[in-house]
Amino acid sequence: MGHSLLDTRVRVFANDRVWMEDAALQQLHTTAGLAGMRAAVGLPDLHPGRGYPVGAAFFSVGRLYPALVGGDIGCGMALYETELRPHKTSASRLAQALGCIDGRLPDHAVSPEARAALHDIAQRAELFTADELVASLGTIGGGNHFAELQVVDQVHEPGVVDAKRVHLLVHSGSRGLGSAILRAHIDGYNHGGLAAGDEAARQYLAQHDAALAFAELNRAHIAQRMAQALRTDLRPVLALSHNHVLPHVWGGEAGFLHRKGATPADQGLVVIPGSRGDHSHVLRPVAGRHEALDSLAHGAGRKWARADCRGRLKPRFSLTELLQTRFGSAVVCADKALVYEEAPQAYKDVDAVVATLIEAGLVVPVARLRPLLTYKKGALDQPDAEDEAGRRPRDGRGRPGKASNHASGQVSGKTPRGGLPCC
DNA sequence: ATGTGC
């Protein structure tokens, strides 16, 4: 081998204002010891994941590790400027205009070009048909995914974001596709990684690239269906994936850069969102800071494990309280478990995370955004969900679950009233 | 994270 763990550079970007869990640092060092690893970086949003830490980047030579990228291959952010004026709108008005934007897209919302792209992705990814991909296209998903309308709160560098326009930030990924790709590889090859030249590595990378393309198309469709509901056009500001493995050169060697919840610092402007009750930061990476593996934090980072959130929050807050934030912004989330799991209290302070990056000289601030409305999950299984115009179901009744994203058409035999694809 | 799992 020639290299040992002693040769692997492990670096953590943090300061004493940022919460760092020992378990996450432990995972960072364990992962840094995998065969072929040359460098590991923990960003300030570092937190424990399933075996591998989140908020980290790893550079390896000769081997690559699908399990390290995780199941949500291609997960990332897309930021848009809308035509909406902040002072002419409100959280409740926006929520009403949006209605339900969850579930399968209506057929007319998927263009022939998009269908052709999905056909190509399906062929490259192998595991799903094009129509199966259509079924999850434009859906946000669960976990920490969201689509958020934001107002510009501070401008540090003029001329980049227009402070007079509402912005839309989409955080989503490759849904079932990336997950199926990872599962197939773990079933076949376990967690030992893949030798760079092998057929298995070639196959994984082809599928991985298809999942990146699908995730990007998915985010664009989420944004588009939101824009349509709000009757606005969109101007793309930036689009970035933070879960991937890419060919990379570091320290004079060609290898693979794994980003697991790490924003690329070598692709222009970035956005680092906080929790639904916190700011999002638009930042300009400082060129040439390769010691952080050309990577940045991808969010605030979890402070509480998902399993702990309900127990900690339920005695202190009602659901209604948790569906609003300190900014007066509103949260649309028909999944009760997610209301707890994604509460602001469960996350680190994103301003401190970003301050760490600024102090380390990795980024300069461009603008700060503040949430107006955070869309997490629509209510698809409600029998009376799509009554009279504009009436939206109260949270609580329906059990969001397996059929959530299949409430359209004939898939489950449960045809929604009115024949509309959703709600 | 997840057509989530029996």
Side-chain angles (χ1 to χ4, degrees):
Chain A
M1 295 254 164
H3 281 263
S4 73
L5 178 54
L6 292 174
D7 303 310
T8 305
R9 305 274 163 90
V10 181
R11 185 155 180 179
V12 178
F13 290 83
N15 65 21
D16 52 13
R17 293 166 55 209
V18 170
W19 174 269
M20 272 291 165
E21 216 168 314
D22 282 346
L25 295 167
Q26 184 63 57
Q27 285 184 336
L28 184 72
H29 281 87
T30 304
T31 308
L34 293 174
M37 283 295 174
R38 294 290 192 272
V41 166
L43 286 316
D45 58 335
L46 188 78
H47 62 95
R50 295 204 60 179
Y52 308 94
V54 183
F58 301 89
F59 177 73
S60 64
V61 172
R63 288 190 89 70
L64 63 109
Y65 293 89
L68 186 42
V69 175
D72 199 0
I73 302 163
C75 181
M77 305 286 171
L79 179 65
Y80 300 85
E81 178 189 295
T82 76
E83 299 170 309
L84 306 174
R85 304 276 190 174
H87 65 271
K88 288 199 170 180
T89 191
S90 68
S92 60
R93 197 181 300 182
L94 289 168
Q96 184 160 21
L98 281 175
C100 180
I101 51 158
D102 216 328
R104 184 180 174 126
L105 282 168
D107 280 347
H108 65 79
V110 188
S111 69
E113 292 75 23
R115 282 173 205 280
L118 291 177
H119 191 78
D120 176 58
I121 288 167
Q123 278 195 327
R124 291 153 60 202
E126 292 170 1
L127 299 164
F128 279 34
T129 65
D131 192 61
E132 285 169 330
L133 293 179
V134 170
S136 54
L137 186 71
T139 62
I140 295 168
N144 56 1
H145 292 169
F146 62 82
E148 188 169 273
L149 291 158
Q150 307 177 329
V151 298
V152 179
D153 177 74
Q154 286 179 354
V155 174
H156 298 278
E157 180 186 323
V160 181
V161 301
D162 185 346
K164 293 190 293 298
R165 303 292 181 177
V166 171
H167 283 66
L168 167 61
L169 178 61
V170 176
H171 176 209
S172 186
S174 53
R175 309 291 278 107
L177 180 61
S179 160
I181 292 168
L182 175 63
R183 200 179 322 118
H185 276 272
I186 296 304
D187 288 351
Y189 307 96
N190 214 325
H191 283 253
L194 306 170
D198 284 5
E199 168 59 17
R202 188 209 58 76
Q203 187 196 26
Y204 171 76
L205 288 172
Q207 294 179 301
H208 161 280
D209 291 352
L212 292 198
F214 180 66
E216 191 164 325
L217 201 61
N218 186 35
R219 287 187 287 274
H221 279 77
I222 292 165
Q224 205 44 59
R225 83 192 292 182
M226 212 149 166
Q228 198 182 1
L230 299 172
R231 300 175 194 282
T232 179
D233 274 338
L234 298 174
R235 181 182 74 83
V237 177
L238 62 90
L240 290 167
S241 150
H242 51 228
N243 284 354
H244 55 229
V245 53
L246 299 174
H248 195 80
V249 175
W250 185 84
E253 284 186 293
F256 297 94
L257 177 56
H258 304 70
R259 291 192 177 103
K260 174 64 171 172
T263 300
D266 54 0
Q267 297 174 29
L269 225 54
V270 307
V271 61
I272 300 181
S275 72
R276 69 193 185 210
D278 217 334
H279 302 107
S280 291
H281 294 261
V282 178
L283 305 159
R284 185 177 297 287
V286 174
R289 296 311 200 99
H290 306 304
E291 70 269 31
L293 288 175
D294 292 311
S295 298
L296 301 163
H298 79 311
R302 288 201 82 80
K303 191 169 66 181
W304 296 354
R306 289 187 180 279
D308 298 337
C309 296
R310 187 186 150 104
R312 288 182 177 176
L313 293 167
K314 203 175 179 196
R316 298 172 51 201
F317 304 101
S318 69
L319 272 178
T320 313
E321 285 173 307
L322 290 171
L323 289 172
Q324 344 178 23
T325 74
R326 65 184 175 116
F327 296 129
S329 65
V331 181
V332 176
C333 186
D335 182 337
K336 272 195 210 173
L338 270 189
V339 176
Y340 293 112
E341 290 174 8
E342 293 298 312
Q345 293 88 340
Y347 281 86
K348 302 189 199 188
D349 173 5
V350 75
D351 290 2
V353 165
V354 167
T356 304
L357 300 175
I358 294 172
E359 286 158 18
L362 299 176
V363 294
V364 293
V366 170
R368 196 173 79 165
L369 307 165
R370 164 166 57 78
L372 194 52
L373 181 82
T374 307
Y375 198 102
K376 296 286 293 177
K377 241 186 205 310
L380 297 176
D381 292 337
Q382 314 269 335
D384 62 342
E386 172 238 321
D387 264 12
E388 280 92 85
R391 192 151 85 78
R392 302 188 46 250
R394 276 168 284 269
D395 178 62
R397 291 290 95 178
R399 203 169 51 76
K402 5 180 111 175
S404 289
N405 292 320
H406 299 271
S408 75
Q410 305 76 354
V411 179
S412 63
K414 275 166 65 179
T415 309
R417 309 238 168 123
L420 287 179
C422 164
C423 295

